[in-house]
Each structure stands twice: as structure tokens, then as C-alpha cells.
Amino acid sequence: MLLFVGDDWAEDHHDVELQDESGRKLCTARLEEGVSGIGRLHALIGQQLGEDASPDQVLVGIETDRGPWVGALVAAGYSVYAVNPRQVARFRERHRSSGAKSDTADAHALAEMVRTDSHQLRQVAGDSAQAEAVKVVARAHQNLIWERTRHTQRLRAALREYFPAALDAFADTGLTGADTLELLARAADPTAAAKLTIAQISAAMKRAHRRNIAVKATKIAACLRTEELGQPEPVTAAYAAAVRAEVALLGALNTQVKAMEAQVEAHFGRHPDVEIYLSQPGIGQIVGARVLGEFGDDPDRYTTAKTRKNCEDHGVSSQAVA
């Protein structure tokens, strides 16, 4: 006998439905998140299968592939399938005229999907804890970089509105450079920036370990003193306040990106497959960690080279190198 479990999860509870091989609903329950909830689920499964049953008789569908709950399901020996929420929505629409969403309806849909379509679903891989750790820090590092890019774009947009000369002045050093952020924090409006001396600019560039400082500092000073159209004083002051806030955030993000990069390299460096990844042309520590994190290290995840390529075609590789 096979048992099919649909698990619709929320932050603090799980709605589950158990079905047999004919699609007959055996039981439903709402389980609280945590040890007691997973214990109740094991008990419900045991009641249906009996004492002599094997964990591989249980197939579970759930709309996530990570977290302590999923880890507990995999550790119990169940076959766990991570189902994309969009797949569940399309399945629900095909089989119910209303297409209305509810927790119990989604639990039913998930049980039906693992019963009828498990061959088309992705089973949660048994990656090692080390690979999971690499994935966590690699994704965190990538998210910090994306967040820094968003704040850089906001800083650029604000400067364009009231202080475009700053964009020309810091074109070479970049808006996220330590010297750029230091100078903008000190002089966020055109009047204050025009008063910056070459010595002050040079000192900031020296702390940022720039080269050819004398020439670059002279160029920056000239750009900051360029006459240009401006905004009324209250508007300029408001933009300057916004810029100082963005500068502070970018400074913090720079620090955290660097710190997380060290974590990525440390965790990746401890993985037994690190040399294999680094032997590939064009793959360094960061990209290698992202590729390992997204593909995992479960030797049974991909049955053929084609299945791995299909995973790549659906965005895993682009996620890793973005």
C-alpha cells in the first residue's frame, strides 16, 4: 500500500490530507508547526499503514523544498516532492470549476498531484548539510548584492534630480566606492560639494586605495564646481537628506557584502567537491559556491545528464551566475 500526503503549509500550521492509491480520502488534519505537529503527522501515517510499513510507502507533496519541517519529512524516509505553487493553482483550476483557493483544497490538490503526477514532480534531494550551508550563504551574498544595486539606482536617480554634476564627478570611482560614499556623506548638496578641497578629496581616495590620485582628485573637484541648473534650496536640502540616507545604507551593505563573501568562500572551501568546481574554466569561489548551492551534491538528484540540463534550462544556472 502506498500513502499520499498533501501538506499545505503556513507559518504556524500545516493542513494535511492523506489518500490511498484509489484517491480515497483517509483523513485530514490541521497540525501545528514544530515537533508536536510532525509527531502527529507520523502518528496519522502510522495509523493508516500499520506497524510493519516502510517509510518509502509514503509520498508527500508540499510547496517548499527547505526548512526544518521538510528536513524532518526527508529524515523520516518519506518521498517528498516540492511542488511549485503555480502548478498547484493550475491543477486546482483544472479539477474545480470555481478554482477557489483554500488550505484544505490545496492539501487535497497536493495529495492528488503526488498520487497521479509524481513522475512529473521534483523530489526533494538529499543534499548534505555542507551543501545546504553553501546554498544559504551564497544566496544571502547574492541578495545583498541585489539590494546594493537597488539602493545604488535610487542614489543615482536622486542625484540626477538635483545634483547631476556628482554623477560626472564620480563616474570613474563608482557610486558604491568607499571614497565616493565618504565625500557624498560629507557634502551631499552642490554648495557643500563645491567647497571640498583637492586635499580632502585626495585623502578620501587614499583611504579607498585609489591609484593616480592627484589627477583624479583634480578632475573630481572640477566637476563638483561646474555650474549647473539647480533646485530651490528647500528641495535641494530634502534631496540631500535622502542621499545621505542612501549613502549610509550603501556603506553598511558594502561591509556586509564583504563579510558574507568571506562566509561563502569559507563554507565552499570546506566542501569535498570544491576542487572539482574550481577546475572548471571561468568558475571562481563565488560562482562555484552558487552553482554548488543551486545544483546540490546529492549524487542521485539527476538520473541522466539530460535531467540536469533541463534543470539548467529552467533557470538554476542563471540564478547561480546572476
Side-chain angles (χ1 to χ4, degrees):
M1 176 182 176
L2 293 178
L3 190 67
F4 305 94
V5 181
D7 186 335
D8 183 68
W9 71 279
E11 186 174 328
D12 59 351
H13 69 273
H14 295 253
D15 285 280
V16 299
E17 177 176 315
L18 279 61
Q19 292 184 6
D20 63 15
E21 293 170 279
S22 68
R24 181 168 60 95
K25 184 188 300 184
L26 300 175
C27 69
T28 61
R30 171 164 288 191
L31 311 175
E32 62 183 5
E33 174 71 26
V35 174
S36 61
I38 200 73
R40 284 188 59 200
L41 178 60
H42 293 331
L44 291 173
I45 291 172
Q47 289 170 10
Q48 299 300 329
L49 290 179
E51 296 181 358
D52 298 330
S54 171
D56 58 13
Q57 294 175 246
V58 182
L59 284 73
V60 183
I62 186 169
E63 293 175 297
T64 182
D65 63 351
R66 57 187 181 272
W69 185 278
V70 173
L73 295 175
V74 173
Y78 306 149
S79 298
V80 183
Y81 294 86
V83 186
N84 189 303
R86 287 178 293 182
Q87 289 178 282
V88 179
R90 300 293 84 79
F91 187 91
R92 188 174 59 244
E93 291 171 359
R94 286 203 316 270
H95 293 82
R96 291 177 177 269
S97 58
S98 68
K101 174 177 173 54
S102 69
D103 295 341
T104 54
D106 280 356
H108 176 77
L110 286 162
E112 287 281 307
M113 291 179 75
V114 291
R115 183 175 65 85
T116 62
D117 298 344
S118 61
H119 61 290
Q120 296 180 340
L121 300 176
R122 178 174 63 86
Q123 189 168 349
V124 173
D127 292 330
S128 69
Q130 188 60 54
E132 184 67 21
V134 170
K135 179 170 69 174
V136 169
V137 293
R139 286 185 175 181
H141 177 256
Q142 188 175 54
N143 288 336
L144 285 170
I145 291 175
W146 285 341
E147 193 66 28
R148 182 173 62 182
T149 299
R150 281 191 285 269
H151 283 285
T152 303
Q153 291 169 341
R154 291 169 186 165
L155 176 59
R156 183 180 300 278
L159 290 171
R160 188 180 295 114
E161 291 296 323
Y162 83 108
F163 191 11
L167 296 177
D168 295 330
F170 303 120
D172 293 335
T173 57
L175 291 180
T176 59
D179 45 355
T180 299
L181 296 177
E182 179 182 338
L183 294 171
L184 283 175
R186 178 182 295 181
D189 64 86
T191 301
K195 295 178 182 178
L196 288 173
T197 66
I198 293 179
Q200 290 173 318
I201 297 171
S202 298
M205 297 184 75
K206 184 176 181 180
R207 284 188 285 272
H209 306 290
R210 299 290 184 184
R211 295 181 179 179
N212 200 14
I213 291 176
V215 174
K216 292 178 180 178
T218 301
K219 179 182 175 182
I220 290 173
C223 288
L224 293 176
R225 291 165 186 157
T226 301
E227 188 174 355
E228 61 183 356
L229 296 176
Q231 294 276 14
E233 184 176 344
V235 178
T236 296
Y239 271 118
V243 162
R244 283 190 291 270
E246 292 294 344
V247 164
L249 288 170
L250 284 168
L253 284 167
N254 280 342
T255 300
Q256 295 307 313
V257 165
K258 188 173 182 180
M260 191 54 66
E261 182 177 320
Q263 289 293 317
V264 172
E265 293 176 352
H267 282 280
F268 182 54
R270 289 193 289 268
H271 194 277
D273 294 340
V274 60
E275 295 302 327
I276 297 175
Y277 282 90
L278 293 180
S279 69
Q280 305 302 309
I283 291 187
Q285 292 276 347
I286 300 302
V287 173
R290 291 179 183 175
V291 173
L292 169 62
E294 297 305 324
F295 279 116
D297 63 355
D298 182 356
D300 299 320
R301 171 180 284 187
Y302 306 104
T303 56
T304 65
K306 184 178 180 181
T307 58
R308 179 157 184 158
K309 184 178 185 302
N310 289 341
C311 186
E312 180 179 349
D313 290 342
H314 281 81
V316 169
S317 61
S318 60
Q319 171 81 5
V321 301

